[in-house]
Amino acid sequence: MAAPSMKERQDCWGARDAYWKCLDEHTEDASQCKKLRSSFESSCPQQWIKYFDKRRDYLKFKEKFEAGQFEPSQTTAKS
């Protein structure tokens, strides 16, 4: 598989950014972002999608942790 061209990378990042913005705006109902998720998946290589999904999860966790809003799970809190 050849590396994506600059245009393909920009399209991927744009689709990712639009999808993430939608998720930020619709935190309670991510189903409203299905079309943007499809666009994101069709614009990016599969490995990039996996990476970006993990990256978003990490960034959201870090944001909560730094704001003092992190709640450890019950099993973690007991040990």
Side-chain angles (χ1 to χ4, degrees):
M1 179 180 149
S5 68
M6 183 170 28
K7 170 91 171 93
E8 290 169 329
R9 291 191 307 268
Q10 289 173 335
D11 290 345
C12 173
W13 296 329
R16 177 206 57 195
D17 292 346
Y19 175 59
W20 284 12
K21 182 178 179 185
C22 180
L23 290 176
D24 288 342
E25 292 172 353
H26 301 100
T27 55
E28 299 297 320
D29 186 14
S31 66
Q32 295 183 21
C33 304
K34 284 182 182 179
K35 288 182 183 178
L36 291 171
R37 175 70 188 192
S38 294
S39 174
F40 170 53
E41 289 177 352
S42 67
S43 299
C44 299
Q46 191 63 38
Q47 283 298 106
W48 289 23
I49 294 167
K50 285 174 58 176
Y51 169 79
F52 288 142
D53 286 344
K54 288 179 183 179
R55 176 103 176 121
R56 178 174 169 79
D57 289 344
Y58 169 74
L59 291 173
K60 289 300 174 185
F61 165 79
K62 182 180 172 188
E63 188 178 286
K64 280 186 175 182
F65 188 79
E66 289 177 346
Q69 299 171 348
F70 175 71
E71 298 282 334
S73 68
Q74 292 297 324
T75 54
T76 305
K78 289 179 184 177
S79 54

